[in-house]
Structures are given as C-alpha cells and as structure tokens.
Amino acid sequence: MFFITQIELNRTVKWKCYNKMELIKLLLVFGLLCKTIDAGTIEQIDENVTFSVKGIWLRYHKKETTCPAPWAQGVEEYVTGVRNVVDESFKSEKGIEMGNCAVTSLTKFVDKLIYFTGSNSTTVVTSVTSILNSLSTCRNLNQSGLKIIIEFQKVLLPLIDNFNKVARSLSPQIGDLTCSFIDDLSDLGRELSRFQREFIRNCQLYQCRKKVDYECVLKKLQKLFNTVALINETLLNKCGRQASQDVHEAVMVLDLLHAFMAIAVTGINSCVIDELYSADCHVSENFKSVSFSFEYALVEIVQAVCDVTFPFENTIHDLLSVFVNIALNLNKAVKDILGLVQGLGVTVGQITTNLLQGLQLGSAATNDRRNILKGVTRN
C-alpha cells in the first residue's frame, strides 16, 4: 500500500468532488492506518484448506503427534463452524467481507494461542490455556448468521466470567488494574448480550426491520480498548525497565483478551449486517463506516499479536507500542461518528503504582495524550 501525505490528500479533495460519506470513508482508511499496511496483512484463508488444531499443534509441539488438550475439539468446531457459515450462508458482499476478516482473525489468533502454550512462562501458558478452554464452549456456531448470534448469546456471559478469572489471576503482577479491566470487560459483555437478545427478537418478530442500536456495543469495546491501551502506554513510558518481565507478560495477556473481544464483536457485526442486507433492511452509512474502522483496527491488532515470538523480552514491547498507536488512530477515526467515548476509570498514576507494585514514578502522562485516549471530550 502507498503512503499518502496530508498535502496530497488535500489536493485530491480539491481536484475531485467527493460526497460527504465518500470523504469520511477515505479519511477513516488513512486516519486509521498508523503504519503502512496492505489490506492483505491478514491473508485470506483458502476455502479448500481445512482448519486443524492437530496440524497447528504439530507445528509447534513436534514431539507430540496429537493435541492432548481438552479444548482441542471444541476450538476446532468453533473455527470450522463460523468459517462454513461465512463461505456457504452469507449472502451480502459487505457481510462476507467483514465475516472473512473476523474468521481469518480468529484463525490466526487461535494459531498464536497454541504457539503460546509452548512458552516457559507460567503466566502466559496458564492464561492462554484458560482462553482456549473458553473458546471451546463455542461449539454450535454454524448454519447461519442468525444461528451464530443465537448460540453465541448463550455462551457469551459464561465466557466473559472465564475471561474475568484470567484477569483476576494477573493481580500479583498488575494489582488493582484487574478491577478496571474486569469492569470494562463486564460492561462490554452485558451490552453485547443485550444487543444480541434484542436483535434475535427483532428478526424473529419483525423480520429484522425494527432498529436495534449496535453503536452502544462499539462504544463499550472502544472503552475497553482505551483502558488497555492506557495500561500499555504507562508500562512503556512511565515504568520502563523497572517493571519485571512478569508484568510485561501480564499486560500482554490483557491485550489478548481484548483481541478476542474485538474478533467476537466484528464477527457478530458481520452476522448482523448480512442478516439486514438479506432482509432488504436499511443499513446506515454511519454504521457501515464505523464498522469499517473497527475492522481495520482488528486486522492490525491480530497482526501485532502474531508478531510476538519467543523470547518475549524482544517482542512484547513492540506489541504494546502498536496496540497504543492503533487505539489512538481508532479514536480519531470514529470520533465524529460514534461520538466521544466515556472517560477512563483509571489514571496514569494509579496504573504506574500498580505496575510497579507500589513504586510511584514521576508525573502522569501529558494531558493531550490522555485526552486522545479518552476521546478528548465527553458527550
């Protein structure tokens, strides 16, 4: 993909007469890309290639011919089920595009989690194993987009509870920050669950024609994203090398938990869009544009996770840095569409104290940078 400067963009706008939504879409694309990426950063999965936990396991655990983990079959059914729905049941171009992004992201994410099971870090291995166990409960996500929504709604809140347990297990490394993360994750889980219930009812009783607001879900996801990004940034800029490797690994686990929620929200979003298009229902330009922005953010997040390799000391820093940049750019891109996300529940000072287990360092981050993470102002 090519670079485009602000001057070039301004000239382009002067030369051509874009309508309002075309211009917004253009700005969203280039405003969100915090580094030059190709739309193919996450490669599309060949339809003829069958997802195999055993195959991934053998790649990373060559001495063991089969995956002994209890989560293996359930995870494989989950990924295979949603892939088949997108390939065989989705009807709209936009639904297929977003569904492919979600499923490909999920496939690469699961691949990386299995890679992490070979780590020598107890924190990482225990956490990713718990995440994989949670994903294995998503067994019946097949048949159609609406069926995915119905079945995921059944397992979502137990899955959130399991993720919260993972976060609580990180308390020895990051202290009370687990509470802030759990609060935001729980809020997102409740909002997504509520939305799914309303959308299911809407489609069953009103042929999907009654408006159900998905923007509330995206705002909750954005708030979780911002909280984790602020934790990442504080660890990078305020704690530096004084924080232990265990702390860095614990914060990486928070990034992983957020990454799956971003995958899940994008996946459900693709099902919603496909159902609406299939029922000839109106899909607003704002909804499509902001969904497009979150889709690009997801691609970058998953790629950053995939770039983490052993030994962690050499690559976690890059993940934390990229994560912060993606959050900043996402906030800029969706500010005028979603409005401004609610303020964060933690401060840089509190985060620093927790990450260093009581050792207070210097002043808080600059107001400008924190305001960008917060969304600048509030509704």
Side-chain angles (χ1 to χ4, degrees):
M1 196 170 182
F2 56 87
F3 284 100
I4 180 167
T5 65
Q6 186 62 47
I7 294 175
E8 290 169 336
L9 181 57
N10 289 339
R11 288 174 180 170
T12 302
V13 172
K14 289 178 181 178
W15 291 339
K16 295 185 179 181
C17 182
Y18 290 103
N19 65 40
K20 183 178 180 181
M21 283 314 305
E22 287 173 334
L23 178 57
I24 289 176
K25 289 178 182 178
L26 184 64
L27 292 173
L28 286 174
V29 175
F30 294 108
L32 181 61
L33 300 182
C34 55
K35 59 181 181 179
T36 302
I37 64 169
D38 192 324
T41 299
I42 290 185
E43 300 174 356
Q44 295 296 320
I45 299 298
D46 190 318
E47 292 182 4
N48 296 320
V49 176
T50 302
F51 176 81
S52 169
V53 168
K54 177 182 177 180
I56 299 171
W57 185 267
L58 281 173
R59 200 185 325 145
Y60 301 130
H61 304 272
K62 299 183 185 301
K63 294 182 180 180
E64 301 181 55
T65 57
T66 59
C67 176
W71 45 260
Q73 182 177 350
V75 169
E76 187 162 317
E77 289 180 12
Y78 174 23
V79 178
T80 302
V82 293
R83 164 52 63 195
N84 289 341
V85 169
V86 174
D87 288 345
E88 300 171 8
S89 299
F90 275 25
K91 299 177 179 63
S92 69
E93 181 179 347
K94 182 59 183 175
I96 292 171
E97 174 193 335
M98 188 174 296
N100 278 328
C101 176
V103 175
T104 304
S105 298
L106 175 63
T107 303
K108 295 178 86 68
F109 180 72
V110 168
D111 186 300
K112 202 64 185 182
L113 291 182
I114 297 174
Y115 170 82
F116 287 152
T117 61
S119 168
N120 59 7
S121 165
T122 301
T123 296
V124 173
V125 172
T126 301
S127 297
V128 298
T129 300
S130 296
I131 295 172
L132 286 164
N133 281 326
S134 297
L135 302 193
S136 70
T137 63
C138 306
R139 290 173 176 256
N140 298 316
L141 277 62
N142 49 36
Q143 297 183 25
S144 69
L146 184 58
K147 178 72 181 308
I148 287 178
I149 297 174
I150 291 170
E151 294 300 324
F152 191 66
Q153 198 274 332
K154 295 176 183 177
V155 300
L156 174 61
L157 293 183
L159 183 146
I160 295 293
D161 287 342
N162 289 337
F163 278 13
N164 284 339
K165 290 177 183 177
V166 173
R168 288 190 190 96
S169 71
L170 304 175
S171 292
Q173 289 82 24
I174 60 177
D176 292 340
L177 293 178
T178 57
C179 296
S180 297
F181 178 86
I182 287 170
D183 287 345
D184 288 346
L185 178 59
S186 298
D187 285 348
L188 171 58
R190 285 190 294 268
E191 194 65 43
L192 181 55
S193 181
R194 180 198 62 78
F195 168 82
Q196 289 177 114
R197 287 195 307 272
E198 291 185 7
F199 189 79
I200 292 166
R201 184 172 182 272
N202 177 25
C203 287
Q204 291 176 339
L205 298 181
Y206 305 104
Q207 291 75 50
C208 303
R209 297 187 182 281
K210 186 176 179 181
K211 185 179 184 300
V212 181
D213 184 13
Y214 197 65
E215 291 182 359
C216 292
V217 175
L218 296 178
K219 285 183 178 181
K220 294 295 184 182
L221 176 61
Q222 187 185 8
K223 187 170 186 294
L224 177 67
F225 197 176
N226 287 340
T227 295
V228 179
L230 185 56
I231 294 171
N232 277 249
E233 186 201 23
T234 307
L235 178 57
L236 288 170
N237 297 336
K238 292 296 174 182
C239 303
R241 296 180 180 178
Q242 297 186 59
S244 69
Q245 181 61 25
D246 284 345
V247 171
H248 284 78
E249 291 168 0
V251 174
M252 182 185 77
V253 171
L254 296 184
D255 291 0
L256 296 178
L257 293 171
H258 167 270
F260 175 75
M261 294 310 301
I263 292 169
V265 168
T266 301
I268 295 300
N269 201 358
S270 72
C271 295
V272 169
I273 286 181
D274 194 68
E275 289 295 319
L276 291 176
Y277 273 113
S278 298
D280 293 323
C281 297
H282 174 70
V283 180
S284 72
E285 290 298 323
N286 280 355
F287 183 31
K288 287 187 286 187
S289 296
V290 76
S291 298
F292 183 71
S293 296
F294 276 89
E295 185 181 337
Y296 265 93
L298 174 60
V299 169
E300 291 202 65
I301 291 167
V302 173
Q303 188 58 49
V305 169
C306 290
D307 288 341
V308 177
T309 56
F310 306 137
F312 287 142
E313 291 86 342
N314 299 334
T315 54
I316 287 182
H317 180 279
D318 292 338
L319 170 63
L320 305 185
S321 180
V322 170
F323 194 98
V324 172
N325 288 333
I326 298 169
L328 294 173
N329 283 280
L330 178 65
N331 285 335
K332 294 174 186 176
V334 304
K335 182 180 70 173
D336 293 332
I337 299 176
L338 276 186
L340 302 168
V341 73
Q342 297 173 1
L344 299 173
V346 290
T347 67
V348 171
Q350 291 169 328
I351 293 171
T352 303
T353 300
N354 278 274
L355 293 180
L356 296 180
Q357 298 184 11
L359 178 60
Q360 181 69 46
L361 291 181
S363 62
T366 64
N367 288 334
D368 287 343
R369 191 156 177 83
R370 284 191 57 212
N371 283 339
I372 291 175
L373 283 173
K374 287 182 179 181
V376 186
T377 59
R378 301 179 187 177
N379 285 329

